[in-house]
Amino acid sequence: MDEIKHISVEEFLKLERNSLTLLDLREPDQVLLGAVEGAVNIPFSRVGKELEKLPKDKPVYVFCQEGSLSTEITEQLQDWGYDATNLDGGWRAWKKWLEEAEPITLDARGLKCPGPIVKTADTLREMVGGQKLKIEATEDAFASDIAVWCERTGNKLLRLEVRPESIEALVEKAEAPVQNPAAAQNDKTFVVFSGDLDKTIAAFIMANGAAAMGRRVTMFFTFWGLNILRRPEKVSVAKSFIEGMFGFMMPRGTKKLGLSRMNMGGLGAKMIRGIMKEKGVSSLEELIDSARAHGVRLVACQMSMDIMGIRKEELIDGVELGGVSTFLGSGEQSDMSLFI
């Protein structure tokens, strides 16, 4: 028994968990009291040959309720050629460490919507259920946003303090993904018809916020909205005379978009961008990059592209082509569809 490998909870939580298998030997009634996200549950009473189904190409970390049964299984796995390690103290040690550990801190001061919520979601994603995150922000709207975000994602808001110069929230990550029947089919779908800068910024702020709440988001770009997806540089593709004229007259890419009001020949758009930078608001280009990084689906309407003479080669990376069924299929799985 002394030859098996051991690891403490604190040491385990520093590992890259995507590159390992975490084996939970607890019985179903014990798991109900606290599941571990990402763990494979094979109850000790039903171990049998199920252990042999574990992949051998990744190290296996084993835990039970208190650490005794996992020691036996760790030794057995090592005998079978697995790179197996016992998690000392089991679930009880795991819970005790989480209860006593200092919260992870996140400095979101100076960030503007949707920045604080997106940063919160990204940070929690790398944590384990039961860990605590202390967030400090300076945007007044964060007090309302973090409360609603926790309510809708199943994470627990332990404390919220609104101070004269900052807002501090203490959040505990949910121990396992929350299955909320009321939240079924709560995807978001946006039809982006306008090519105006201000409306596009609003669309991508909402898309990033929804993605931070764990929602699947589809943005369907049609007619003038297609200009948002065009590459800023000229792309050499064969076009008819009319298609070429359309391409020449329409803005190419996000930097050429104008405002829906007070554009003033492009001066208004430059002023808005300058104010956004001064106030610490993410630029449209940064919002688009963030949306793509968080899995927001960008769909260009094929029919509109054909009418306006826009080719697939002219679109930015990560855009897929779709039609009315693509939009309707997304809309039927959404509890919110906005036409912008």
Side-chain angles (χ1 to χ4, degrees):
M1 289 292 187
D2 293 335
E3 296 179 357
I4 70 170
K5 294 193 292 184
H6 298 261
I7 191 171
S8 68
V9 174
E10 185 175 5
E11 292 172 325
F12 172 78
L13 291 175
K14 294 177 183 178
L15 301 177
E16 175 54 58
R17 291 184 296 280
N18 291 329
S19 62
L20 56 84
T21 299
L22 181 58
L23 175 60
D24 184 354
L25 297 173
R26 295 177 299 155
E27 300 300 320
D29 58 330
Q30 295 173 318
V31 175
L32 286 174
L33 297 176
V36 178
E37 187 174 355
V40 178
N41 180 225
I42 302 178
F44 184 81
S45 61
R46 300 203 310 267
V47 164
K49 292 186 177 180
E50 288 191 47
L51 281 180
E52 298 177 356
K53 298 177 182 178
L54 294 173
K56 283 191 173 182
D57 58 344
K58 294 193 293 185
V60 181
Y61 291 80
V62 189
F63 74 97
C64 59
Q65 187 71 4
E66 298 182 350
S68 55
L69 298 178
S70 57
T71 303
E72 178 183 334
I73 297 302
T74 300
E75 184 181 37
Q76 185 174 339
L77 287 170
Q78 285 186 342
D79 290 341
W80 290 350
Y82 285 87
D83 179 7
T85 303
N86 182 60
L87 185 62
D88 288 337
W91 170 251
R92 291 191 185 278
W94 180 287
K95 285 292 291 181
K96 186 175 186 294
W97 187 89
L98 291 175
E99 290 168 359
E100 297 176 353
E102 289 294 320
I104 294 173
T105 57
L106 171 62
D107 185 358
R109 291 174 298 179
L111 295 179
K112 302 297 182 181
C113 182
I117 290 297
V118 171
K119 287 286 188 182
T120 297
D122 287 346
T123 305
L124 281 174
R125 192 174 295 114
E126 301 302 317
M127 296 165 57
V128 298
Q131 272 189 292
K132 299 177 183 66
L133 176 67
K134 183 171 68 175
I135 314 123
E136 188 172 4
T138 49
E139 188 179 48
D140 291 341
F142 179 70
S144 172
D145 281 354
I146 191 63
V148 174
W149 185 85
C150 286
E151 177 187 349
R152 296 301 299 162
T153 58
N155 296 290
K156 187 182 296 183
L157 182 59
L158 300 177
R159 186 178 72 245
L160 180 63
E161 295 182 11
V162 180
R163 302 165 179 167
E165 296 182 355
S166 66
I167 298 167
E168 184 178 292
L170 182 63
V171 175
E172 181 181 301
K173 182 176 179 179
E175 290 188 341
V178 177
Q179 301 298 322
N180 182 1
Q185 293 188 319
N186 56 5
D187 301 346
K188 313 298 175 191
T189 300
F190 304 118
V191 179
V192 186
F193 180 88
S194 170
D196 295 325
L197 175 63
D198 45 339
K199 296 177 182 177
T200 305
I201 291 171
F204 274 97
I205 286 176
M206 290 186 288
N208 276 282
M213 293 179 71
R215 311 311 188 215
R216 294 186 302 177
V217 182
T218 298
M219 302 183 76
F220 190 82
F221 296 82
T222 184
F223 285 96
W224 312 117
L226 289 171
N227 294 316
I228 301 163
L229 303 180
R230 295 179 72 191
R231 293 181 181 274
E233 70 276 8
K234 182 176 175 59
V235 179
S236 180
V237 289
K239 292 188 178 185
S240 67
F241 176 76
I242 297 296
E243 290 173 339
M245 289 299 294
F246 257 111
F248 176 76
M249 292 185 292
M250 293 187 302
R252 185 186 295 124
T254 55
K255 293 289 182 68
K256 300 294 184 180
L257 301 180
L259 294 177
S260 61
R261 298 287 188 275
M262 299 188 295
N263 188 48
M264 298 179 289
L267 181 61
K270 291 181 179 179
M271 290 174 60
I272 287 292
R273 285 181 176 273
I275 294 171
M276 290 173 66
K277 184 176 181 179
E278 179 185 340
K279 299 291 186 181
V281 179
S282 298
S283 68
L284 173 56
E285 293 70 34
E286 290 170 334
L287 289 169
I288 292 174
D289 288 342
S290 175
R292 290 192 292 185
H294 290 88
V296 173
R297 186 183 182 198
L298 307 181
V299 182
C301 174
Q302 177 76 72
M303 180 274 293
S304 299
M305 289 176 60
D306 292 342
I307 291 176
M308 304 177 78
I310 297 176
R311 303 288 187 264
K312 184 178 182 181
E313 293 81 1
E314 297 179 86
L315 303 181
I316 60 176
D317 295 334
V319 177
E320 59 181 284
L321 305 187
V324 65
S325 293
T326 301
F327 161 67
L328 292 174
S330 174
E332 286 183 349
Q333 297 180 67
S334 300
D335 61 1
M336 177 187 292
S337 293
L338 298 180
F339 192 94
I340 301 171

